[in-house]
Structures are given as structure tokens and as C-alpha cells.
Amino acid sequence: MSQKIYITDTILRDAHQSQAATRMRIEDMLPACKLLDEIGYWSLECWGGATFDACMRFLNEDPWERLRTLKAHMPNTKLQMLLRGQNILGYKHYADDVVEAFCKKSIENGIDVVRIFDALNDTRNMEMAMKCVKEYGGICEAAISYTTSPVHNEDYFVKLAIELEKKGADVLCIKDMANLLLPFEAYNLVKRLKENLSIPIHLHTHNTTGTGDMTYLLAIQAGVDIVDCALSPLANGTSQPTTESLVATLKGTDYDTGLSLEKLSLAASHFRTVAAKLKEEGYLDSKVLSVDTNTLLYQVPGGMLSNLISQLKDAKAQDKYYQVLEEIPRVRKDFGYPPLVTPTSQIVGSQAVLNVLSGERYKVFTKESKGLLRGEYGKVPAPVNPEVRAKAIGDIPLITCRPADLIEPELSKYRQEIGTLAHSEEDVLSYALFPKVAQTFFENREKATYSSKLNVDKVRYLYVQDDSFSN
């Protein structure tokens, strides 16, 4: 089953999301774009996930402008994004009209491949996004969120993958966000998927437990088509296995990627300076760079881990780190074994933090925890702890239908709310996903524009008032 292996590089999205809390700026990316575009990747993952929020919240960047800029500088490579199904890039479900508009605008602005997943593997929450991506000309890569639990096994994932292909997936992704897919399990799963599907299989993992490279090698032998890697300066640990290492390993074999180690090395040299800057700014923590096999017990994905460390630092409770990690699987069991991926990773993680810091389990519930237990995010894989659910929501009726069926069209409402602060349909969508963050970003943009106009007018005034310039 030997074949050329294709690589998606995550250096512009998941690598820095998993290691540096999504703090890489567009100015850090642009110097390497021409070279990245020449390498010959299957795709470059550069958008979606937490980058959209982080652009506006922390970096004072317009995420749409970032995407357009990257497309302009990398016209020859497919650009890929991560989309959370009905959650889009936010942390709740949105109406179908918002999902459709977002998919349409993402593709118009430069996205080629949309990886779509649902945190609960509830395919009802993926249907609309899958349909819209295909309708507007994108490549629909449907993902299964891989995890382990008493209800998650090989048969479960094969059945799920077959369902996603029937729903129109162009590519099937195994999204192993916490590096739980061990090498021989990967071989067996990929082999069965290749026997049951007619579309390419794309494997995504991390190296949190130190098994990522071995997982890729056995998956390649089983017939996987594409794998996710990251250039070495932001690879391994909670990020993806190293691109250069896999390319070198496969060179001269039937699986040869055809990528140039020389070009990869040049690109890596640039991102080495970026990584050094991120470390100097305090965003690269040693805990996300090293192997931690405890992940096999806690199931915490890379992006969740870096943000969890950040939360505990803010609360001055870094000493509670391992207590929180131990609490996470207990909360997950009570909540019906959801895979830990955005937004369920944040929901379970935040509840675990509250349980530890308050000194009493379930003394308080977040709004999102209540929503998950009620069914607002879809169907959880296993029965929840009835006592915990009763404590959280009492006798409030449960939601058993596709949650988005209960949401009226809302795009026009968002358009009206943001008013003239929005300069485009993209701005309206930014506001729909992150109302407070986007409004603050737009207001600062207006102030900056106004300030810039004032400066121009002042210069013009001085120019015409000074006789020395008259001739």
C-alpha cells in the first residue's frame, strides 16, 4: 500500500496555538510566506481555530485581512482552516444563516480546505457547514474527534467515518487533538478506514505523549494519505511532529514526500527567530515543550493545555496545575465522556478549575457546563451523571433535537446591532462570533482612523500656512 505521503504544515495555526496561546502575528508570518508557498505542501493550515478570536482580542489584527494577506502571498498553496461545525469559531451554536455566510466568506477570502468537526461527534452539528463549504467551492474535510473512553472504540469511529462520507466529505480527517491515538491503534484504524472509505484519509495528531512520530509511521504503512506536521521551531510537545524529521525519514522510500529539506530548513530558520520572540514575551512555557505521558490519563489537547497554564497563572494558582489535570477526567466522565476539543475542552477544563479552586466539586457551574449538560451542544456520547445534571439545571427540559433547529435566523439582527461600525459583511460575521471583542476592535479601529485623519489634516494645515512651502 506504499504511496507518496502529502503533508499539511500547521506552523501558521495549530503549532503556535498549541505552544504559544495563538500569539503569532501576521508580521511574523509574512517574511516566510514566499518560501512556504514554494515548498509543495498539500496545504498550509493558517486560519480558524482560536486564531480568529486571538487576532482581535490580543493582536489588534483583523482576521479577515490576515487571511486575504496570506492568500496574496501564497497563491500556489491550498490554505486550510479549522471550523467547529455549528459553533463556527465561537463557543456556542449559531443559526444556519450565520454558518452559511461564514463558510461563503471564508472561501471568498482565500480558504481552500475547511476541516469541519464537532466536539461531540454529533454529525447533525456538521451537516450545514459541510453542505455550505461544498456549495461555495471549498474542499470539505470532515473530521472525527478521536478520543478514548468506555464508549469510543474502533467500530464507533469507522461507523462515524462512513456516515461523514455519505454526507459529502471530500476528505476524512482523524483529529487526534490530545495525542491519544497510539501507533498500533492508528495502524488498525487507518487500515479499516481505507477498506471502508473511497476518500483520502488525513491524520492529525500532536506529540504531547511522545508517540506522534511513531503513530504517523504506522499510519503511513496502513495507507494514510496526508499527515499534519509543524516546522521544527514550534513542533513537538503539545504541537505536531516535526515536518523536517518526517520528510527525512521518508526520503528515498516509496512514501517519499518530494519536499526539499533545504527549503524546509530555510523556513525553519525564520520561525526559530519567531519562537525566540514568543518565548521572550512569555508565551512559550516549558510545560508545552516537553513530553508528558500523563496526557494519556488526562486527555488534555495542546491548545487547551497552553490556555490552562495561562488561566492558572492569572489566578496565581500554578501550584494547582496537576490537581486540575487530575480533576479533568472526573468531570469528563460526569459530563458523558465528551471528546476534549473546543469548546468541550474549555467547558470541562474550566469546570475542573472551578472544582479545584473553590475547594468543593460542583459548588458552582459555568453557563457553558449547564448548557452541555442540558443538550445545547448536541448529544453527548454517553449518559451523564444524573446527580450532577440535576444540581446544574434542576428540572429544566433537555434538548434532544439538533440544537440549531431551535435558533431563528440571526444574521440580520447582528447586522443591525453593530450598525455603521461594521464596514463589510466580514465585520458583521466577526461581531456575530465575538460581539464584545469585535465591537472593541472596531471602536479602536475607528479611533485609529480618526487619529490618522487628524494627523494628515494637521500636516496639510501646516503646509499651507508656512510661506516657505508656497513656492
Side-chain angles (χ1 to χ4, degrees):
M1 296 185 68
S2 60
Q3 60 179 339
K4 175 180 177 178
I5 298 301
Y6 293 91
I7 289 180
T8 290
D9 206 300
T10 66
I11 189 69
L12 301 181
R13 205 283 297 179
D14 201 11
H16 68 99
Q17 179 174 323
S18 294
Q19 286 197 353
T22 329
R23 294 304 201 275
M24 193 187 292
R25 300 170 175 86
I26 187 66
E27 66 197 52
D28 301 322
M29 304 175 186
L30 287 181
C33 282
K34 184 176 185 299
L35 183 56
L36 291 174
D37 196 36
E38 295 171 352
I39 285 174
Y41 293 119
W42 186 78
S43 69
L44 272 163
E45 194 201 32
C46 63
W47 210 60
T51 60
F52 197 95
D53 181 6
C55 272
M56 294 187 292
R57 189 186 298 269
F58 302 117
L59 305 178
N60 195 32
E61 286 185 32
D62 183 337
W64 297 99
E65 185 58 33
R66 173 185 286 197
L67 174 56
R68 289 189 291 268
T69 301
L70 289 173
K71 190 63 177 179
H73 285 79
M74 297 186 291
N76 304 307
T77 304
K78 293 192 291 293
L79 300 189
Q80 181 170 315
M81 73 168 293
L82 183 66
L83 186 81
R84 302 166 189 157
Q86 206 70 32
N87 289 9
I88 311 179
L89 300 177
Y91 306 100
K92 66 170 188 175
H93 280 202
Y94 296 88
D96 286 340
D97 63 335
V98 180
V99 173
E100 179 176 5
F102 193 90
C103 291
K104 179 176 183 286
K105 286 298 178 183
S106 297
I107 292 165
E108 283 181 4
N109 280 273
I111 287 296
D112 301 287
V113 183
V114 184
R115 179 177 291 170
I116 302 165
F117 75 96
D118 178 66
L120 301 177
N121 285 319
D122 187 339
T123 59
R124 299 174 303 172
N125 296 333
M126 300 169 68
E127 289 173 350
M128 188 64 186
M130 291 175 67
K131 171 178 171 287
C132 293
V133 166
K134 291 178 73 71
E135 181 179 339
Y136 292 108
I139 297 172
C140 172
E141 181 173 297
I144 56 177
S145 297
Y146 185 84
T147 188
T148 59
S149 81
V151 297
H152 293 94
N153 54 38
E154 197 175 281
D155 289 338
Y156 169 94
F157 290 117
V158 171
K159 181 181 177 184
L160 179 61
I162 292 170
E163 183 182 352
L164 290 171
E165 182 177 22
K166 288 179 179 176
K167 288 182 182 294
D170 298 311
V171 181
L172 189 282
C173 175
I174 305 168
K175 181 174 168 57
D176 178 27
M177 55 279 177
N179 191 205
L180 302 175
L181 181 60
L182 296 174
F184 289 104
E185 293 168 352
Y187 180 90
N188 293 334
L189 178 57
V190 170
K191 193 168 185 297
R192 283 195 61 189
L193 290 175
K194 294 298 288 187
E195 290 168 353
N196 285 276
L197 302 181
S198 61
I199 56 177
I201 309 297
H202 193 158
L203 177 56
H204 167 93
T205 193
H206 294 244
N207 225 351
T208 321
T209 64
T211 62
D213 298 282
M214 294 180 282
T215 293
Y216 278 167
L217 273 181
L218 284 186
I220 286 167
Q221 291 181 331
V224 81
D225 300 279
I226 315 160
V227 294
D228 281 3
C229 295
L231 285 168
S232 54
L234 289 170
N236 296 318
T238 53
S239 180
Q240 280 68 53
T242 307
T243 306
E244 303 98 296
S245 301
L246 186 65
V247 168
T249 299
L250 301 179
K251 190 174 178 61
T253 72
D254 291 336
Y255 305 110
D256 197 323
T257 63
L259 303 189
S260 163
L261 281 169
E262 288 74 22
K263 287 185 178 180
L264 290 169
S265 180
L266 282 173
S269 68
H270 166 73
F271 287 106
R272 204 167 291 118
T273 64
V274 175
K277 185 174 78 168
L278 291 169
K279 186 175 183 180
E280 188 179 329
E281 292 171 348
Y283 295 119
L284 272 176
D285 189 285
S286 59
K287 287 187 178 70
V288 303
L289 301 176
S290 58
V291 167
D292 187 356
T293 53
N294 283 321
T295 305
L296 294 169
L297 302 174
Y298 307 138
Q299 301 201 7
V300 178
M304 176 184 178
L305 192 58
S306 61
N307 285 310
L308 178 64
I309 292 166
S310 221
Q311 284 178 16
L312 291 175
K313 279 182 179 177
D314 290 343
K316 295 183 172 24
Q318 297 99 309
D319 59 316
K320 305 290 186 184
Y321 176 71
Y322 281 103
Q323 284 179 251
V324 171
L325 286 184
E326 289 167 4
E327 177 65 4
I328 285 170
R330 293 193 285 262
V331 173
R332 181 174 177 246
K333 179 181 179 181
D334 288 337
F335 284 17
Y337 288 111
L340 293 184
V341 62
T342 305
T344 53
S345 54
Q346 283 81 355
I347 295 170
V348 171
S350 295
Q351 189 62 53
V353 169
L354 283 176
N355 287 0
V356 169
L357 296 187
S358 67
E360 179 185 331
R361 299 190 77 224
Y362 303 119
K363 183 178 182 179
V364 290
F365 289 88
T366 66
K367 174 187 174 185
E368 292 76 17
S369 287
K370 292 178 180 179
L372 181 62
L373 290 166
R374 188 185 173 215
E376 290 176 11
Y377 293 87
K379 184 179 179 182
V380 293
V384 304
N385 183 327
E387 293 178 5
V388 173
R389 175 185 271 161
K391 190 173 182 180
I393 66 170
D395 56 1
I396 295 174
L398 302 182
I399 295 171
T400 57
C401 64
R402 183 183 81 116
D405 288 341
L406 303 176
I407 307 174
E408 295 291 329
E410 53 188 356
L411 193 57
S412 60
K413 176 194 74 173
Y414 290 125
R415 192 179 292 113
Q416 185 175 4
E417 283 179 3
I418 193 59
T420 57
L421 275 177
H423 297 169
S424 63
E425 193 71 358
E426 286 85 350
D427 281 353
V428 174
L429 290 165
S430 297
Y431 175 76
L433 268 58
F434 301 101
K436 291 181 181 177
V437 172
Q439 182 165 343
T440 300
F441 175 78
F442 297 153
E443 288 170 350
N444 289 336
R445 182 176 65 184
E446 292 295 307
K447 290 175 187 174
T449 303
Y450 180 64
S451 174
S452 175
K453 285 178 180 175
L454 281 179
N455 290 335
V456 170
D457 290 340
K458 184 178 181 182
V459 169
R460 189 177 294 119
Y461 174 78
L462 290 172
Y463 181 88
V464 297
Q465 293 297 316
D466 191 333
D467 289 340
S468 65
F469 288 107
S470 62
N471 294 317

